Amino acid sequence: MHVRCNYCNHTFNLSRDYVAEMVAREEEKGHKYHQVECINCRKMIKVPVDQMRRALPDEPVGE
Ligand SMILES: [Zn+2]
């Protein structure tokens, strides 16, 4: 998924594997946002976990 930095407007890509891992981690902690460092200006950007989850392919419900 693409993330746009609020500070410098730089856009960069988060890999699907990274997003999947971070969604699982933040949900486990009960967080609504994941913070990622801008690769350009190095400020922390808040990305809603909901938005990250939607960027992932649908997974089957249950097991
Ligand atoms: Zn930036």
Side-chain angles (χ1 to χ4, degrees), residues 1-4 8 11 18 20 25 31 41-44 47 50-52 58-59 62-63:
M1 68 179 286
H2 284 92
V3 174
R4 180 187 292 274
C8 69
T11 56
Y18 176 88
R25 189 176 297 180
H31 292 169
C41 70
R42 314 204 63 173
K43 291 189 191 293
M44 298 305 287
V47 185
D50 281 350
Q51 187 183 327
M52 293 172 74
D58 289 337
E59 290 179 28
E63 298 207 343

PDB file of all heavy atoms in Angstrom, residues 1-4 8 11 18 20 25 31 41-44 47 50-52 58-59 62-63:
ATOM      1  N   MET A   1       0.853  -1.186   0.000  1.00  0.00           N
ATOM      2  CA  MET A   1       0.000   0.000   0.000  1.00  0.00           C
ATOM      3  C   MET A   1       0.888   1.235   0.000  1.00  0.00           C
ATOM      4  O   MET A   1       2.018   1.210   0.471  1.00  0.00           O
ATOM      5  CB  MET A   1      -0.921   0.005   1.226  1.00  0.00           C
ATOM      6  CG  MET A   1      -0.201   0.190   2.560  1.00  0.00           C
ATOM      7  SD  MET A   1      -1.323   0.227   3.981  1.00  0.00           S
ATOM      8  CE  MET A   1      -2.047   1.861   3.800  1.00  0.00           C
ATOM      9  N   HIS A   2       0.316   2.321  -0.544  1.00  0.00           N
ATOM     10  CA  HIS A   2       1.050   3.563  -0.570  1.00  0.00           C
ATOM     11  C   HIS A   2       0.692   4.424   0.643  1.00  0.00           C
ATOM     12  O   HIS A   2      -0.457   4.491   1.050  1.00  0.00           O
ATOM     13  CB  HIS A   2       0.751   4.335  -1.851  1.00  0.00           C
ATOM     14  CG  HIS A   2       1.445   3.763  -3.041  1.00  0.00           C
ATOM     15  ND1 HIS A   2       0.854   2.822  -3.856  1.00  0.00           N
ATOM     16  CD2 HIS A   2       2.681   3.972  -3.537  1.00  0.00           C
ATOM     17  CE1 HIS A   2       1.702   2.477  -4.805  1.00  0.00           C
ATOM     18  NE2 HIS A   2       2.809   3.160  -4.643  1.00  0.00           N
ATOM     19  N   VAL A   3       1.695   5.060   1.177  1.00  0.00           N
ATOM     20  CA  VAL A   3       1.515   5.963   2.306  1.00  0.00           C
ATOM     21  C   VAL A   3       2.048   7.325   1.901  1.00  0.00           C
ATOM     22  O   VAL A   3       3.106   7.428   1.271  1.00  0.00           O
ATOM     23  CB  VAL A   3       2.301   5.452   3.541  1.00  0.00           C
ATOM     24  CG1 VAL A   3       2.236   6.459   4.677  1.00  0.00           C
ATOM     25  CG2 VAL A   3       1.768   4.104   3.985  1.00  0.00           C
ATOM     26  N   ARG A   4       1.268   8.365   2.237  1.00  0.00           N
ATOM     27  CA  ARG A   4       1.744   9.713   1.952  1.00  0.00           C
ATOM     28  C   ARG A   4       2.105  10.395   3.265  1.00  0.00           C
ATOM     29  O   ARG A   4       1.326  10.404   4.207  1.00  0.00           O
ATOM     30  CB  ARG A   4       0.663  10.531   1.233  1.00  0.00           C
ATOM     31  CG  ARG A   4       1.121  11.950   0.921  1.00  0.00           C
ATOM     32  CD  ARG A   4       0.001  12.789   0.360  1.00  0.00           C
ATOM     33  NE  ARG A   4      -0.398  12.335  -0.965  1.00  0.00           N
ATOM     34  CZ  ARG A   4       0.204  12.731  -2.092  1.00  0.00           C
ATOM     35  NH1 ARG A   4       1.190  13.589  -2.045  1.00  0.00           N
ATOM     36  NH2 ARG A   4      -0.201  12.284  -3.244  1.00  0.00           N
ATOM     37  N   CYS A   8       5.953  16.099   4.439  1.00  0.00           N
ATOM     38  CA  CYS A   8       6.722  16.474   3.243  1.00  0.00           C
ATOM     39  C   CYS A   8       6.040  16.014   1.954  1.00  0.00           C
ATOM     40  O   CYS A   8       6.565  16.250   0.871  1.00  0.00           O
ATOM     41  CB  CYS A   8       8.136  15.893   3.337  1.00  0.00           C
ATOM     42  SG  CYS A   8       8.189  14.102   3.183  1.00  0.00           S
ATOM     43  N   THR A  11       5.553  10.140  -1.021  1.00  0.00           N
ATOM     44  CA  THR A  11       4.801   8.882  -0.974  1.00  0.00           C
ATOM     45  C   THR A  11       5.762   7.718  -1.107  1.00  0.00           C
ATOM     46  O   THR A  11       6.748   7.790  -1.845  1.00  0.00           O
ATOM     47  CB  THR A  11       3.747   8.790  -2.100  1.00  0.00           C
ATOM     48  OG1 THR A  11       4.382   8.967  -3.351  1.00  0.00           O
ATOM     49  CG2 THR A  11       2.660   9.817  -1.914  1.00  0.00           C
ATOM     50  N   TYR A  18       4.811  -6.644   5.094  1.00  0.00           N
ATOM     51  CA  TYR A  18       4.995  -5.716   6.210  1.00  0.00           C
ATOM     52  C   TYR A  18       3.641  -5.291   6.772  1.00  0.00           C
ATOM     53  O   TYR A  18       3.429  -5.307   7.985  1.00  0.00           O
ATOM     54  CB  TYR A  18       5.782  -4.492   5.728  1.00  0.00           C
ATOM     55  CG  TYR A  18       5.941  -3.417   6.775  1.00  0.00           C
ATOM     56  CD1 TYR A  18       7.013  -3.450   7.668  1.00  0.00           C
ATOM     57  CD2 TYR A  18       5.026  -2.370   6.864  1.00  0.00           C
ATOM     58  CE1 TYR A  18       7.157  -2.472   8.638  1.00  0.00           C
ATOM     59  CE2 TYR A  18       5.164  -1.386   7.834  1.00  0.00           C
ATOM     60  CZ  TYR A  18       6.239  -1.438   8.712  1.00  0.00           C
ATOM     61  OH  TYR A  18       6.363  -0.472   9.670  1.00  0.00           O
ATOM     62  N   ALA A  20       0.730  -6.809   6.555  1.00  0.00           N
ATOM     63  CA  ALA A  20       0.059  -7.932   7.215  1.00  0.00           C
ATOM     64  C   ALA A  20       0.622  -8.148   8.623  1.00  0.00           C
ATOM     65  O   ALA A  20      -0.123  -8.350   9.582  1.00  0.00           O
ATOM     66  CB  ALA A  20       0.220  -9.198   6.381  1.00  0.00           C
ATOM     67  N   ARG A  25       0.135  -7.186  14.564  1.00  0.00           N
ATOM     68  CA  ARG A  25       0.800  -6.722  15.779  1.00  0.00           C
ATOM     69  C   ARG A  25       0.008  -5.618  16.467  1.00  0.00           C
ATOM     70  O   ARG A  25      -0.159  -5.628  17.690  1.00  0.00           O
ATOM     71  CB  ARG A  25       2.208  -6.225  15.425  1.00  0.00           C
ATOM     72  CG  ARG A  25       3.044  -5.921  16.634  1.00  0.00           C
ATOM     73  CD  ARG A  25       4.446  -5.522  16.253  1.00  0.00           C
ATOM     74  NE  ARG A  25       5.178  -6.594  15.578  1.00  0.00           N
ATOM     75  CZ  ARG A  25       6.432  -6.485  15.138  1.00  0.00           C
ATOM     76  NH1 ARG A  25       7.080  -5.350  15.283  1.00  0.00           N
ATOM     77  NH2 ARG A  25       7.018  -7.484  14.536  1.00  0.00           N
ATOM     78  N   HIS A  31      -4.202  -1.305  19.216  1.00  0.00           N
ATOM     79  CA  HIS A  31      -3.923   0.013  18.649  1.00  0.00           C
ATOM     80  C   HIS A  31      -4.781   0.263  17.405  1.00  0.00           C
ATOM     81  O   HIS A  31      -5.056  -0.658  16.652  1.00  0.00           O
ATOM     82  CB  HIS A  31      -2.448   0.127  18.243  1.00  0.00           C
ATOM     83  CG  HIS A  31      -1.525   0.131  19.414  1.00  0.00           C
ATOM     84  ND1 HIS A  31      -0.173   0.013  19.282  1.00  0.00           N
ATOM     85  CD2 HIS A  31      -1.770   0.231  20.749  1.00  0.00           C
ATOM     86  CE1 HIS A  31       0.391   0.042  20.488  1.00  0.00           C
ATOM     87  NE2 HIS A  31      -0.550   0.166  21.397  1.00  0.00           N
ATOM     88  N   CYS A  41      11.672  12.380   5.290  1.00  0.00           N
ATOM     89  CA  CYS A  41      11.933  13.375   6.344  1.00  0.00           C
ATOM     90  C   CYS A  41      12.056  12.744   7.724  1.00  0.00           C
ATOM     91  O   CYS A  41      12.385  13.433   8.682  1.00  0.00           O
ATOM     92  CB  CYS A  41      10.840  14.443   6.349  1.00  0.00           C
ATOM     93  SG  CYS A  41       9.237  13.848   6.916  1.00  0.00           S
ATOM     94  N   ARG A  42      11.782  11.451   7.820  1.00  0.00           N
ATOM     95  CA  ARG A  42      11.992  10.676   9.038  1.00  0.00           C
ATOM     96  C   ARG A  42      11.068  11.058  10.181  1.00  0.00           C
ATOM     97  O   ARG A  42      11.322  10.716  11.329  1.00  0.00           O
ATOM     98  CB  ARG A  42      13.463  10.747   9.480  1.00  0.00           C
ATOM     99  CG  ARG A  42      14.410  10.525   8.323  1.00  0.00           C
ATOM    100  CD  ARG A  42      15.731  10.027   8.755  1.00  0.00           C
ATOM    101  NE  ARG A  42      15.608   8.708   9.402  1.00  0.00           N
ATOM    102  CZ  ARG A  42      16.656   7.972   9.753  1.00  0.00           C
ATOM    103  NH1 ARG A  42      17.869   8.412   9.545  1.00  0.00           N
ATOM    104  NH2 ARG A  42      16.479   6.805  10.327  1.00  0.00           N
ATOM    105  N   LYS A  43       9.974  11.766   9.866  1.00  0.00           N
ATOM    106  CA  LYS A  43       8.962  11.987  10.888  1.00  0.00           C
ATOM    107  C   LYS A  43       8.075  10.748  10.972  1.00  0.00           C
ATOM    108  O   LYS A  43       8.005   9.964  10.035  1.00  0.00           O
ATOM    109  CB  LYS A  43       8.130  13.227  10.563  1.00  0.00           C
ATOM    110  CG  LYS A  43       8.899  14.527  10.679  1.00  0.00           C
ATOM    111  CD  LYS A  43       7.941  15.691  10.561  1.00  0.00           C
ATOM    112  CE  LYS A  43       8.678  17.017  10.410  1.00  0.00           C
ATOM    113  NZ  LYS A  43       9.422  17.389  11.613  1.00  0.00           N
ATOM    114  N   MET A  44       7.376  10.618  12.110  1.00  0.00           N
ATOM    115  CA  MET A  44       6.503   9.465  12.283  1.00  0.00           C
ATOM    116  C   MET A  44       5.120   9.774  11.715  1.00  0.00           C
ATOM    117  O   MET A  44       4.504  10.776  12.063  1.00  0.00           O
ATOM    118  CB  MET A  44       6.388   9.097  13.762  1.00  0.00           C
ATOM    119  CG  MET A  44       7.713   8.683  14.391  1.00  0.00           C
ATOM    120  SD  MET A  44       8.556   7.329  13.517  1.00  0.00           S
ATOM    121  CE  MET A  44       7.510   5.934  13.979  1.00  0.00           C
ATOM    122  N   VAL A  47      -0.682   5.712  10.472  1.00  0.00           N
ATOM    123  CA  VAL A  47      -1.500   5.059   9.454  1.00  0.00           C
ATOM    124  C   VAL A  47      -2.597   4.261  10.168  1.00  0.00           C
ATOM    125  O   VAL A  47      -2.281   3.411  11.004  1.00  0.00           O
ATOM    126  CB  VAL A  47      -0.645   4.098   8.591  1.00  0.00           C
ATOM    127  CG1 VAL A  47      -1.484   3.513   7.464  1.00  0.00           C
ATOM    128  CG2 VAL A  47       0.580   4.805   8.043  1.00  0.00           C
ATOM    129  N   ASP A  50      -7.229   0.224  10.238  1.00  0.00           N
ATOM    130  CA  ASP A  50      -8.338  -0.127   9.337  1.00  0.00           C
ATOM    131  C   ASP A  50      -7.936   0.009   7.875  1.00  0.00           C
ATOM    132  O   ASP A  50      -8.269  -0.817   7.031  1.00  0.00           O
ATOM    133  CB  ASP A  50      -9.549   0.786   9.591  1.00  0.00           C
ATOM    134  CG  ASP A  50     -10.327   0.346  10.822  1.00  0.00           C
ATOM    135  OD1 ASP A  50     -10.045  -0.749  11.343  1.00  0.00           O
ATOM    136  OD2 ASP A  50     -11.191   1.116  11.260  1.00  0.00           O
ATOM    137  N   GLN A  51      -7.236   1.090   7.591  1.00  0.00           N
ATOM    138  CA  GLN A  51      -6.798   1.353   6.219  1.00  0.00           C
ATOM    139  C   GLN A  51      -5.796   0.301   5.764  1.00  0.00           C
ATOM    140  O   GLN A  51      -5.817  -0.151   4.621  1.00  0.00           O
ATOM    141  CB  GLN A  51      -6.183   2.750   6.167  1.00  0.00           C
ATOM    142  CG  GLN A  51      -5.826   3.220   4.774  1.00  0.00           C
ATOM    143  CD  GLN A  51      -5.147   4.583   4.804  1.00  0.00           C
ATOM    144  OE1 GLN A  51      -5.455   5.411   5.648  1.00  0.00           O
ATOM    145  NE2 GLN A  51      -4.219   4.808   3.921  1.00  0.00           N
ATOM    146  N   MET A  52      -4.929  -0.088   6.677  1.00  0.00           N
ATOM    147  CA  MET A  52      -3.933  -1.110   6.349  1.00  0.00           C
ATOM    148  C   MET A  52      -4.614  -2.454   6.101  1.00  0.00           C
ATOM    149  O   MET A  52      -4.248  -3.194   5.184  1.00  0.00           O
ATOM    150  CB  MET A  52      -2.915  -1.239   7.486  1.00  0.00           C
ATOM    151  CG  MET A  52      -2.056   0.001   7.639  1.00  0.00           C
ATOM    152  SD  MET A  52      -1.023  -0.056   9.104  1.00  0.00           S
ATOM    153  CE  MET A  52       0.221  -1.247   8.608  1.00  0.00           C
ATOM    154  N   ASP A  58      -8.481 -10.120   0.781  1.00  0.00           N
ATOM    155  CA  ASP A  58      -9.452 -10.734   1.674  1.00  0.00           C
ATOM    156  C   ASP A  58      -8.978 -12.118   2.104  1.00  0.00           C
ATOM    157  O   ASP A  58      -8.506 -12.897   1.287  1.00  0.00           O
ATOM    158  CB  ASP A  58     -10.813 -10.862   0.979  1.00  0.00           C
ATOM    159  CG  ASP A  58     -11.466  -9.496   0.801  1.00  0.00           C
ATOM    160  OD1 ASP A  58     -11.098  -8.586   1.571  1.00  0.00           O
ATOM    161  OD2 ASP A  58     -12.311  -9.368  -0.083  1.00  0.00           O
ATOM    162  N   GLU A  59      -9.155 -12.346   3.383  1.00  0.00           N
ATOM    163  CA  GLU A  59      -8.774 -13.665   3.875  1.00  0.00           C
ATOM    164  C   GLU A  59     -10.035 -14.416   4.252  1.00  0.00           C
ATOM    165  O   GLU A  59     -11.019 -13.811   4.654  1.00  0.00           O
ATOM    166  CB  GLU A  59      -7.853 -13.528   5.099  1.00  0.00           C
ATOM    167  CG  GLU A  59      -6.491 -12.997   4.707  1.00  0.00           C
ATOM    168  CD  GLU A  59      -5.586 -12.841   5.910  1.00  0.00           C
ATOM    169  OE1 GLU A  59      -5.759 -13.581   6.894  1.00  0.00           O
ATOM    170  OE2 GLU A  59      -4.702 -11.983   5.855  1.00  0.00           O
ATOM    171  N   GLY A  62     -12.735 -17.363   9.539  1.00  0.00           N
ATOM    172  CA  GLY A  62     -12.575 -18.602  10.293  1.00  0.00           C
ATOM    173  C   GLY A  62     -11.323 -19.334   9.815  1.00  0.00           C
ATOM    174  O   GLY A  62     -10.416 -18.730   9.259  1.00  0.00           O
ATOM    175  N   GLU A  63     -11.316 -20.615  10.006  1.00  0.00           N
ATOM    176  CA  GLU A  63     -10.118 -21.351   9.640  1.00  0.00           C
ATOM    177  C   GLU A  63     -10.344 -22.338   8.511  1.00  0.00           C
ATOM    178  O   GLU A  63     -11.370 -22.929   8.385  1.00  0.00           O
ATOM    179  CB  GLU A  63      -9.585 -22.108  10.867  1.00  0.00           C
ATOM    180  CG  GLU A  63      -9.195 -21.116  11.944  1.00  0.00           C
ATOM    181  CD  GLU A  63      -8.101 -21.679  12.859  1.00  0.00           C
ATOM    182  OE1 GLU A  63      -7.867 -22.892  12.875  1.00  0.00           O
ATOM    183  OE2 GLU A  63      -7.495 -20.873  13.553  1.00  0.00           O
TER     184      GLU A  63
END
